Short mmCIF file of all heavy atoms in Angstrom, two decimals:
data_model
loop_
_atom_site.label_atom_id
_atom_site.label_comp_id
_atom_site.label_asym_id
_atom_site.label_seq_id
_atom_site.Cartn_x
_atom_site.Cartn_y
_atom_site.Cartn_z
N THR A 539 -47.77 32.45 10.49
CA THR A 539 -47.61 31.00 10.48
C THR A 539 -48.11 30.42 9.17
O THR A 539 -49.22 30.76 8.73
CB THR A 539 -48.37 30.34 11.65
OG1 THR A 539 -47.91 30.91 12.89
CG2 THR A 539 -48.16 28.84 11.68
N ILE A 540 -47.31 29.59 8.55
CA ILE A 540 -47.76 28.80 7.41
C ILE A 540 -47.74 27.35 7.85
O ILE A 540 -46.70 26.81 8.24
CB ILE A 540 -46.86 29.01 6.18
CG1 ILE A 540 -46.92 30.47 5.73
CG2 ILE A 540 -47.29 28.09 5.04
CD1 ILE A 540 -46.08 30.78 4.51
N LEU A 541 -48.89 26.74 7.78
CA LEU A 541 -49.08 25.38 8.30
C LEU A 541 -49.51 24.46 7.17
O LEU A 541 -50.50 24.72 6.49
CB LEU A 541 -50.15 25.40 9.40
CG LEU A 541 -50.79 24.07 9.80
CD1 LEU A 541 -49.77 23.20 10.50
CD2 LEU A 541 -52.00 24.32 10.69
N ILE A 542 -48.76 23.40 6.95
CA ILE A 542 -49.20 22.35 6.03
C ILE A 542 -50.00 21.35 6.85
O ILE A 542 -49.48 20.74 7.78
CB ILE A 542 -48.01 21.66 5.35
CG1 ILE A 542 -47.24 22.66 4.48
CG2 ILE A 542 -48.48 20.49 4.49
CD1 ILE A 542 -46.02 22.08 3.82
N ALA A 543 -51.27 21.23 6.52
CA ALA A 543 -52.18 20.43 7.33
C ALA A 543 -52.50 19.12 6.63
O ALA A 543 -53.07 19.11 5.54
CB ALA A 543 -53.45 21.21 7.61
N HIS A 544 -52.12 18.03 7.26
CA HIS A 544 -52.47 16.71 6.75
C HIS A 544 -53.91 16.37 7.15
O HIS A 544 -54.65 15.77 6.38
CB HIS A 544 -51.50 15.67 7.31
CG HIS A 544 -51.81 14.27 6.89
ND1 HIS A 544 -51.58 13.81 5.62
CD2 HIS A 544 -52.33 13.23 7.58
CE1 HIS A 544 -51.95 12.54 5.55
NE2 HIS A 544 -52.41 12.16 6.73
N ARG A 545 -54.28 16.76 8.38
CA ARG A 545 -55.64 16.53 8.86
C ARG A 545 -56.39 17.86 8.86
O ARG A 545 -55.90 18.87 9.37
CB ARG A 545 -55.62 15.93 10.26
CG ARG A 545 -54.99 14.54 10.30
CD ARG A 545 -55.22 13.89 11.67
NE ARG A 545 -54.76 12.51 11.67
CZ ARG A 545 -53.60 12.10 12.17
NH1 ARG A 545 -52.80 12.98 12.73
NH2 ARG A 545 -53.25 10.84 12.13
N LEU A 546 -57.57 17.86 8.30
CA LEU A 546 -58.32 19.11 8.14
C LEU A 546 -58.80 19.68 9.46
O LEU A 546 -59.12 20.86 9.53
CB LEU A 546 -59.49 18.89 7.18
CG LEU A 546 -59.11 18.53 5.73
CD1 LEU A 546 -60.34 18.52 4.85
CD2 LEU A 546 -58.07 19.49 5.18
N GLN A 547 -58.88 18.84 10.51
CA GLN A 547 -59.24 19.41 11.82
C GLN A 547 -58.19 20.43 12.27
O GLN A 547 -58.50 21.38 12.98
CB GLN A 547 -59.35 18.31 12.89
CG GLN A 547 -60.61 17.48 12.77
CD GLN A 547 -60.32 16.19 12.02
OE1 GLN A 547 -59.39 16.15 11.21
NE2 GLN A 547 -61.11 15.16 12.26
N THR A 548 -56.95 20.21 11.88
CA THR A 548 -55.90 21.17 12.19
C THR A 548 -56.04 22.41 11.32
O THR A 548 -55.90 23.54 11.79
CB THR A 548 -54.51 20.53 11.97
OG1 THR A 548 -54.41 19.33 12.75
CG2 THR A 548 -53.40 21.48 12.37
N ALA A 549 -56.34 22.22 10.02
CA ALA A 549 -56.44 23.34 9.10
C ALA A 549 -57.59 24.26 9.45
O ALA A 549 -57.50 25.50 9.31
CB ALA A 549 -56.61 22.82 7.67
N CYS A 550 -58.71 23.71 9.92
CA CYS A 550 -59.90 24.53 10.15
C CYS A 550 -59.69 25.55 11.26
O CYS A 550 -60.47 26.51 11.39
CB CYS A 550 -61.11 23.64 10.44
SG CYS A 550 -61.07 22.83 12.06
N ARG A 551 -58.68 25.36 12.11
CA ARG A 551 -58.42 26.31 13.19
C ARG A 551 -57.58 27.50 12.73
O ARG A 551 -57.38 28.45 13.49
CB ARG A 551 -57.72 25.61 14.35
CG ARG A 551 -58.53 24.47 14.97
CD ARG A 551 -57.82 23.91 16.19
NE ARG A 551 -58.54 22.80 16.76
CZ ARG A 551 -58.27 21.52 16.51
NH1 ARG A 551 -57.28 21.22 15.70
NH2 ARG A 551 -58.97 20.57 17.08
N ALA A 552 -57.06 27.45 11.51
CA ALA A 552 -56.23 28.54 10.99
C ALA A 552 -57.10 29.75 10.64
O ALA A 552 -58.31 29.63 10.43
CB ALA A 552 -55.46 28.06 9.76
N ASP A 553 -56.45 30.92 10.56
CA ASP A 553 -57.19 32.13 10.17
C ASP A 553 -57.69 32.03 8.73
O ASP A 553 -58.77 32.53 8.41
CB ASP A 553 -56.28 33.36 10.30
CG ASP A 553 -55.82 33.58 11.73
OD1 ASP A 553 -56.61 33.32 12.65
OD2 ASP A 553 -54.65 33.99 11.92
N ARG A 554 -56.89 31.40 7.89
CA ARG A 554 -57.27 31.28 6.49
C ARG A 554 -56.69 29.98 5.95
O ARG A 554 -55.67 29.48 6.44
CB ARG A 554 -56.74 32.48 5.70
CG ARG A 554 -57.25 32.59 4.27
CD ARG A 554 -57.10 34.03 3.76
NE ARG A 554 -55.74 34.52 3.93
CZ ARG A 554 -54.78 34.40 3.00
NH1 ARG A 554 -55.05 33.80 1.85
NH2 ARG A 554 -53.58 34.88 3.23
N ILE A 555 -57.35 29.45 4.91
CA ILE A 555 -56.95 28.19 4.31
C ILE A 555 -56.76 28.42 2.81
O ILE A 555 -57.58 29.09 2.16
CB ILE A 555 -58.00 27.09 4.54
CG1 ILE A 555 -58.23 26.87 6.04
CG2 ILE A 555 -57.61 25.79 3.85
CD1 ILE A 555 -59.47 26.06 6.36
N ALA A 556 -55.65 27.88 2.27
CA ALA A 556 -55.42 27.92 0.83
C ALA A 556 -55.38 26.48 0.33
O ALA A 556 -54.65 25.64 0.87
CB ALA A 556 -54.11 28.64 0.50
N VAL A 557 -56.16 26.19 -0.69
CA VAL A 557 -56.21 24.85 -1.27
C VAL A 557 -55.27 24.83 -2.47
O VAL A 557 -55.43 25.62 -3.42
CB VAL A 557 -57.63 24.47 -1.70
CG1 VAL A 557 -57.66 23.04 -2.26
CG2 VAL A 557 -58.60 24.60 -0.54
N ILE A 558 -54.29 23.95 -2.44
CA ILE A 558 -53.29 23.83 -3.50
C ILE A 558 -53.60 22.59 -4.32
O ILE A 558 -53.82 21.51 -3.76
CB ILE A 558 -51.86 23.74 -2.93
CG1 ILE A 558 -51.65 24.81 -1.85
CG2 ILE A 558 -50.84 23.86 -4.04
CD1 ILE A 558 -51.76 26.22 -2.34
N ASP A 559 -53.58 22.74 -5.63
CA ASP A 559 -53.82 21.61 -6.52
C ASP A 559 -52.97 21.76 -7.77
O ASP A 559 -53.06 22.78 -8.48
CB ASP A 559 -55.31 21.53 -6.90
CG ASP A 559 -55.60 20.32 -7.79
OD1 ASP A 559 -55.35 19.18 -7.35
OD2 ASP A 559 -56.04 20.53 -8.94
N ASP A 560 -52.11 20.78 -8.01
CA ASP A 560 -51.27 20.75 -9.21
C ASP A 560 -50.49 22.05 -9.38
O ASP A 560 -50.37 22.60 -10.48
CB ASP A 560 -52.12 20.48 -10.45
CG ASP A 560 -51.28 20.09 -11.66
OD1 ASP A 560 -50.16 19.56 -11.45
OD2 ASP A 560 -51.72 20.34 -12.79
N GLY A 561 -49.95 22.57 -8.29
CA GLY A 561 -49.11 23.75 -8.35
C GLY A 561 -49.86 25.06 -8.45
O GLY A 561 -49.24 26.10 -8.71
N HIS A 562 -51.17 25.06 -8.23
CA HIS A 562 -51.98 26.27 -8.29
C HIS A 562 -52.72 26.46 -6.97
O HIS A 562 -53.05 25.49 -6.29
CB HIS A 562 -53.02 26.20 -9.41
CG HIS A 562 -52.43 26.08 -10.78
ND1 HIS A 562 -51.95 27.15 -11.49
CD2 HIS A 562 -52.25 24.99 -11.59
CE1 HIS A 562 -51.50 26.74 -12.67
NE2 HIS A 562 -51.67 25.44 -12.75
#
Side-chain angles (χ1 to χ4, degrees):
T539 303
I540 298 180
L541 163 68
I542 297 178
H544 178 73
R545 295 190 174 101
L546 296 188
Q547 285 97 334
T548 304
C550 71
R551 299 185 182 97
D553 298 324
R554 189 159 53 91
I555 301 166
V557 182
I558 313 297
D559 182 60
D560 195 26
H562 298 280

